[in-house]
Amino acid sequence: MENSVLKEKLHQVIENGDERLLELLYEVVKDFDKQEIIFPGEPFSSSQLIQRIMLAKARVDKGEFISMKELEKESENW
């Protein structure tokens, strides 16, 4: 996908996103320039990344997430 098309799609996602999605996207990108992020396996293509973001947004919209407090409480048992 061309950069211009990808940028437009991301702008649309941001413009139409609710507060939860915007916070999620911000957390993903806020430190991107500060560090190299390494993931095991093959890197995501732009279209794969957009698809993952859209799927994550759908899960959030359905309420399929836990709050930070719930996560902190759960992590105490790890």
Side-chain angles (χ1 to χ4, degrees), residues 4 11 15-16 18 21 27 29 39-40 43 48 50 52 55 69 77:
S4 60
H11 282 284
E15 286 299 317
N16 296 324
D18 61 9
L21 174 63
E27 289 300 318
V29 300
F39 296 99
Q48 288 172 318
I50 289 173
R52 290 175 66 100
L55 290 171
K69 286 186 180 193
N77 298 321

Side-chain angles (χ1 to χ4, degrees), residues 45-59:
S45 68
S46 299
S47 60
Q48 288 172 318
L49 185 55
I50 289 173
Q51 182 181 17
R52 290 175 66 100
I53 290 170
M54 298 306 285
L55 290 171
K57 181 184 181 317
R59 287 193 305 271

Side-chain angles (χ1 to χ4, degrees), residues 16 23 32 39 44 47 53 62-63 65 67 71 76:
N16 296 324
E23 288 176 1
F32 186 76
F39 296 99
F44 295 121
S47 60
I53 290 170
K62 289 187 223 174
F65 62 92
S67 71
L71 179 60
E76 291 173 2

Side-chain angles (χ1 to χ4, degrees), residues 1 3 10 20 23 28 30 41 43 47 54 75 78:
M1 184 178 304
N3 269 353
L10 287 171
R20 292 176 295 174
E23 288 176 1
V28 170
K30 73 178 181 179
S47 60
M54 298 306 285
S75 70
W78 292 352

